[in-house]
Amino acid sequence: MRYDCVVLGAGINGLATAYALKKQGVEKLALLEQFQFGHGQGSSHGRSRITRSSYSTSKYVALMQLVHNRLWPAWEEAAGQPLLHKNPGIFFGPGIARYQDSLREVPEVSDLIEELEPAEAARRFPPFLFPDSPKVLVDHTCAVVAADRTMRFLAGQLKDKIQEHCQVQSIERGSSLYLDTNRGGIECERLVVTAGPWTTRLLPQLKPNLRAAHQDVGYFEIDAPAEVGQFPVWVYAGEQADTSFYGLPEFERPGVKLARHRTGPHGDDPDRQLGDQIPEEAARDLMENFVAHQWSGQARLIGYDACIYTNTCTEDFILDHWPEDDRVVVGAGFSGHGFKFAPLTGQVLAELAIFGRTSLPEFERHRQAFSFAAAQCW
Ligand SMILES: Cc1cc2nc3c(=O)[nH]c(=O)nc-3n(C[C@H](O)[C@H](O)[C@H](O)COP(=O)(O)OP(=O)(O)OC[C@H]3O[C@@H](n4cnc5c(N)ncnc54)[C@H](O)[C@@H]3O)c2cc1C
């Protein structure tokens, strides 16, 4: 079969790209997924994700205004349901200055961010204690992303395009692009690679730039109000990025979500079976120690989820044409913060594949930062 465009990988970025390509009128389109849709082996499963404006680099603060104000509302309209559930967000910890500096560089959000003394914040956001936070930022642009429902909305729009259990084993570049898969050969004019932590299997040249990192996620029963609107989304900014934690209110499953943001060059195996059994002692201790220092009252670990990041050393995404062949576009290295950007990254990858550039001046302004040329090596 010959396609105008093939998207490789049906995680949130592949789904978002295929959705944008379909909206651009690309009919001969295929979205190939090595497992079944919605599997739990990659980076996009789970009920919830955080969206926010607060970032430690101002380009993301700026881009989030486009994503929050225009792109997610367009998806919600098409889905006929809310996909973002507004919820205050708090940012705190010894590394908070990183966020304060970048927020100051984007004046349009300043009215939506409050800066509190820890004592005032502890009064407003139980059970948080803020023992090691010079200041606490309250971000009123935050929301809980209904991640699972977003994936299902997009998959519903692409029913006739998704091919499950179709694993691409090699990419050959000739007059067309030839994909060797476990279900036979596929030919296409354009290819978008959104293969998550498996990207370096197909594009080994990216090994110096990308590292897969296993993530442990805990769900805690607490003796405080825990639902959306009662409990914040939050980010604890550690001294270094790799010592940061984050969490969300109870959403579509029991327990408030808590995890460490594991961003280093770990190089974990993406084929490692990810389970839902309560984690090894080390991971459990890390989460329980955090709770013991940062929260008042009781908190009991009642649930667990495993997941995986694809880390770049700057935590910047790669959204660019493949240097060796501009018929191939790559979206990779989402470093544990890509879900909220999916309406943007999907449109960017689709437009780069069709037109070679995007129709988004807000993105074009920062495009160089997401290029292969800017991608640093670990
Ligand atoms: C625990 C956790 C918490 C997170 N929290 C947040 C958050 O609060 N906010 C936020 O914005 N982001 C968050 N993220 C990050 C976000 O979820 C990811 O950036 C995003 O899901 C990456 O999606 P992806 O489509 O690039 O990768 P994936 O979801 O991994 O998708 C890649 C797909 O490609 C398929 N594939 C790979 N190789 C092949 C092949 N050869 N042939 C066919 N198919 C193939 C895979 O099976 C997979 O389905 C979090 C991530 C994790 C793990």
Side-chain angles (χ1 to χ4, degrees):
M1 177 67 182
R2 184 191 172 94
Y3 294 94
D4 296 332
C5 193
V6 165
V7 178
L8 198 168
I12 188 63
N13 288 303
L15 286 163
T17 304
Y19 177 68
L21 285 163
K22 189 174 176 190
K23 279 178 51 113
Q24 288 280 355
V26 177
E27 272 312 313
K28 287 196 201 149
L29 169 65
L31 173 56
L32 310 181
E33 170 51 51
Q34 63 182 346
F35 303 128
Q36 77 286 355
F37 165 72
H39 65 89
Q41 271 302 112
S43 309
S44 298
H45 58 280
R47 299 292 175 146
S48 62
R49 296 287 192 274
I50 296 173
T51 189
R52 54 185 158 115
S53 292
S54 301
Y55 257 94
S56 52
T57 43
S58 59
K59 67 175 179 287
Y60 289 116
V61 179
L63 286 170
M64 279 315 301
Q65 305 326 298
L66 162 68
V67 177
H68 279 160
N69 300 338
R70 268 193 11 231
L71 304 181
W72 272 105
W75 276 18
E76 291 185 311
E77 195 183 332
Q81 59 169 309
L83 299 174
L84 300 190
H85 298 267
K86 295 287 287 168
N87 198 81
I90 52 175
F91 296 75
F92 57 102
I96 193 63
R98 298 194 296 272
Y99 289 76
Q100 290 167 298
D101 298 345
S102 58
L103 283 165
R104 286 195 193 104
E105 291 172 37
V106 187
E108 72 200 81
V109 289
S110 51
D111 297 347
L112 302 163
I113 310 286
E114 279 181 88
E115 198 168 285
L116 303 178
E117 295 301 324
E120 167 62 9
R123 197 184 58 69
R124 281 175 50 180
F125 296 102
F128 292 85
L129 297 168
F130 310 110
D132 54 354
S133 302
K135 293 283 183 188
V136 176
L137 302 180
V138 184
D139 178 345
H140 293 285
T141 72
C142 288
V144 173
V145 182
D148 185 61
R149 279 195 278 116
T150 301
M151 296 273 287
R152 291 178 190 287
F153 149 62
L154 293 168
Q157 304 287 313
L158 296 161
K159 274 201 217 63
D160 57 336
K161 309 296 182 194
I162 300 180
Q163 299 184 27
E164 298 175 285
H165 304 294
C166 182
Q167 185 187 54
V168 177
Q169 280 145 359
S170 68
I171 304 167
E172 228 184 280
R173 295 179 290 123
S175 55
S176 293
L177 299 165
Y178 302 92
L179 310 180
D180 179 29
T181 81
N182 59 332
R183 293 171 49 187
I186 288 178
E187 197 178 341
C188 57
E189 291 309 310
R190 295 282 184 277
L191 172 67
V192 180
V193 179
T194 46
W198 292 270
T199 302
T200 53
R201 295 270 166 89
L202 291 160
L203 304 173
Q205 302 89 332
L206 277 176
K207 280 195 175 138
N209 312 99
L210 302 177
R211 291 283 188 285
H214 179 80
Q215 308 291 322
D216 294 300
V217 180
Y219 293 85
F220 286 80
E221 185 182 69
I222 59 173
D223 54 9
E227 293 179 16
V228 170
Q230 301 176 318
F231 188 87
V233 300
W234 57 274
V235 171
Y236 171 86
E239 302 281 6
Q240 288 84 37
D242 210 24
T243 56
S244 295
F245 287 76
Y246 63 91
L248 295 94
E250 203 165 87
F251 187 77
E252 297 184 355
R253 64 170 289 171
V256 297
K257 185 175 177 176
L258 178 148
R260 176 185 162 207
H261 184 57
R262 199 163 167 259
T263 56
H266 299 282
D268 296 332
D269 175 6
D271 289 329
R272 171 179 162 163
Q273 284 308 308
L274 299 186
D276 60 0
Q277 298 315 303
I278 295 279
E280 284 131 30
E281 199 153 325
R284 185 183 183 134
D285 289 353
L286 206 68
M287 291 193 261
E288 291 179 338
N289 283 342
F290 180 86
V291 165
H293 285 92
Q294 298 288 335
W295 289 357
S296 61
Q298 295 306 308
R300 192 167 63 85
L301 184 63
I302 57 168
Y304 170 75
D305 214 356
C307 195
I308 191 162
Y309 290 178
T310 312
N311 293 332
T312 60
C313 59
T314 57
E315 296 189 45
D316 282 330
F317 314 153
I318 296 174
L319 302 169
D320 200 4
H321 288 106
W322 180 238
E324 295 165 26
D325 192 325
D326 62 10
R327 295 172 296 173
V328 180
V329 171
V330 177
F334 293 95
S335 306
H337 66 111
F339 206 107
K340 66 180 80 60
F341 283 100
L344 174 68
T345 49
Q347 183 172 342
V348 164
L349 295 170
E351 292 183 354
L352 288 179
I354 306 171
F355 308 115
R357 58 173 293 118
T358 80
S359 62
L360 299 162
E362 300 90 340
F363 175 77
E364 290 294 329
R365 207 170 296 140
H366 301 288
R367 185 165 162 196
Q368 177 53 26
F370 299 99
S371 68
F372 275 102
Q376 296 173 21
C377 298
W378 281 104

